[in-house]
Amino acid sequence: MPPRTETPQPAPTSWPSFTTEIVEWRPADADYGPRAGRSAHSGPYEAAVAPRIADASVHLSSQVAALVAEASAEIARFDGETHAATTSFAALLLRTEAASSSQIENLTSSSKAIAMAELGRKGRANADEIVATVTAMTRALAAVDHLDGQAILEMHRALMAGHASAVAGRWRADQVWIGGSSRSPHGAAFVAPVHRRVPAAIDDLVAFMSRDDMPLLAQAALTHAQFESIHPFPDGNGRTGRALLHAQLRHGGLTREAIVPVSAGLLTDTDRYFEALTVYRSGDVEPVVVQVCEAVFPALASSRMLIADVTGARAVWDDRIRARRGAAAWALADLVTTRPVVDVRLAAEKLGVTPVNAQLAIDRLVEDGVLEQVGRGMRDRVWQAPEILAAMDRFAARSGHRGW
């Protein structure tokens, strides 16, 4: 990992800053409830106005430009390593990024709970939301040929449909703000643009994303910062915005198969990340570019360790598994390196075998010490690969957060 890059002093730049406009606020309870305190939550307030960036010039200091180049080269190197691997780790890396992105929003869950939620075993809200983040990121990567407003709406719909269907996949229709009181935007740390400005701001952002005259990683970081500042949804902006970042890296060709869990890197210092998003709105673009680039190095170092742990466990299984070569048990062993909790339905579907043969494969791996049953029930049974779950937990610990 290269030495930590200090955030440079703002360089002369023509990047536009956010401005504000005066908007009148009339609270929903203006004619109801206690009279005391009403005046503090009514009357005019300042809402942000997003500048046009479609044609804005990007100027980075030589130090930051060098960091962008080094981080981009590291991503390309990692993508090549993943591409050359005999087992695709894209699915596992996708889950690590989805879990880390959710953790930035204070959504945590154990690796086992998330894997159970992926099987449709509902019950833990955070795990369900993290699985929705996996779906949103999958949708984002599928949209790399047409990164437009509709693609962003589809990402958000995939993220929010399960627990906020009324707003899923729709631009917000109300004012939103960060900090302060939930009653009104007065006293908020940041008041996003009024909702009627969102569609035009997104159209401008899409035009910026289509440019090819700047380093892709820096462009993706600026796209992310602009998106978060527009705050086009009532909820789910952070996770949607980070999914969009990955879609942009794939669209621009910096990654082909790998998912770089940038969010795991950002988790090492979320205060700096949020501060970079704040100063971006004043026209200082370098801090957010630095934050995204610096996040690449710990994220990839931890990802390499995760891949090594999983590959090592899979190699040990070669000496344990007593099934004949070509039997379904071997394919199941490959499957559980990226889906460490399975049931008969999933195994049959992924292996392309009957449920009976899927159960035989599971039984073989249980006898050979690769899988163990979760719980003691005899109905709707589930099995886990404890060594893979342990590797995932170690990844979480290295990222400095609890659980997944």
Side-chain angles (χ1 to χ4, degrees):
M1 185 187 305
R4 181 189 182 99
T5 303
E6 294 299 326
T7 303
Q9 294 300 310
T13 176
S14 58
W15 192 262
S17 61
F18 276 62
T19 57
T20 61
E21 63 180 330
I22 302 298
V23 185
E24 188 68 25
W25 177 262
R26 179 177 172 79
D29 60 353
D31 299 319
Y32 182 76
R35 178 173 176 273
R38 286 185 190 176
S39 61
H41 299 286
S42 61
Y45 67 96
E46 292 187 9
V49 177
R52 287 183 54 82
I53 65 169
D55 301 314
S57 298
V58 180
H59 299 287
L60 300 176
S61 68
S62 58
Q63 182 183 16
V64 174
L67 176 62
V68 172
E70 189 174 1
S72 300
E74 187 66 11
I75 291 173
R77 186 179 302 115
F78 180 75
D79 188 74
E81 294 168 6
T82 306
H83 185 70
T86 54
T87 300
S88 173
F89 291 96
L92 188 60
L93 294 171
L94 178 67
R95 287 168 177 80
T96 66
E97 173 61 5
S100 298
S101 182
S102 299
Q103 170 62 13
I104 291 175
E105 309 300 329
N106 295 316
L107 292 170
T108 61
S109 189
S110 70
S111 53
K112 181 190 292 187
I114 295 170
M116 294 284 282
E118 284 192 288
L119 288 178
R121 312 299 169 108
K122 304 293 183 180
R124 298 190 178 184
N126 281 7
D128 293 343
E129 288 200 43
I130 294 169
V131 170
T133 305
V134 174
T135 304
M137 291 190 63
T138 302
R139 190 71 54 84
L141 294 173
V144 295
D145 291 333
H146 54 281
L147 285 182
D148 55 16
Q150 188 58 43
I152 296 172
L153 290 173
E154 289 299 324
M155 297 174 206
H156 188 259
R157 181 174 294 111
L159 176 69
M160 306 298 290
H163 60 280
S165 58
V167 300
R170 300 178 182 178
W171 306 127
R172 57 180 167 84
D174 297 297
Q175 182 68 72
V176 296
W177 57 90
I178 298 172
S181 166
S182 61
R183 191 175 174 187
S184 82
H186 295 86
F190 173 67
V191 181
V194 295
H195 67 275
R196 69 176 182 276
R197 293 186 178 274
V198 167
I202 292 295
D203 288 345
D204 175 69
L205 181 61
V206 168
F208 173 75
M209 286 192 292
S210 70
R211 289 171 55 177
D212 59 4
D213 60 343
M214 69 189 77
L216 179 60
L217 187 57
Q219 183 182 23
L222 297 178
T223 297
H224 175 63
Q226 183 79 356
F227 179 88
E228 296 303 322
S229 299
I230 296 169
H231 230 66
F233 302 112
D235 190 18
N237 292 283
R239 285 169 289 164
T240 303
R242 287 183 288 274
L244 180 60
L245 185 151
H246 287 283
Q248 198 169 355
L249 296 182
R250 182 68 57 85
H251 176 76
L254 188 54
T255 60
R256 296 171 296 168
E257 293 189 13
I259 299 295
V260 181
V262 175
S263 296
L266 293 173
L267 269 172
T268 61
D269 195 341
T270 54
D271 288 342
R272 289 185 74 209
Y273 167 53
F274 290 131
E275 177 61 23
L277 292 176
T278 297
V279 300
Y280 167 84
R281 295 192 284 269
S282 68
D284 187 0
V285 301
E286 291 201 334
V288 73
V289 173
V290 167
Q291 283 297 291
V292 170
C293 290
E294 284 192 339
V296 165
F297 297 98
L300 293 189
S302 191
S303 295
R304 287 186 172 102
M305 294 176 68
L306 173 62
I307 290 173
D309 285 347
V310 172
T311 302
R314 180 64 183 81
V316 170
W317 296 347
D318 281 342
D319 295 329
R320 291 187 196 168
I321 300 173
R322 294 172 291 171
R324 61 175 176 80
R325 288 293 173 180
W330 292 101
L332 180 59
D334 290 334
L335 173 64
V336 298
T337 60
T338 57
R339 293 292 297 270
V341 178
V342 298
D343 57 12
V344 170
R345 178 195 58 78
L346 178 68
E349 174 189 333
K350 295 296 185 181
L351 302 183
V353 300
T354 66
V356 170
N357 286 334
Q359 185 64 67
L360 290 173
I362 290 171
D363 292 343
R364 175 75 276 160
L365 294 191
V366 170
E367 290 184 24
D368 294 340
V370 173
L371 295 179
E372 61 183 31
Q373 184 174 331
V374 178
R376 298 180 178 275
M378 294 303 295
R379 298 181 59 185
D380 296 326
R381 290 186 294 169
V382 172
W383 292 266
Q384 65 182 3
E387 290 159 300
I388 306 303
L389 290 174
M392 296 168 73
D393 288 337
R394 288 193 293 273
F395 178 95
R398 287 192 297 270
S399 300
H401 61 283
R402 295 183 299 103
W404 273 67

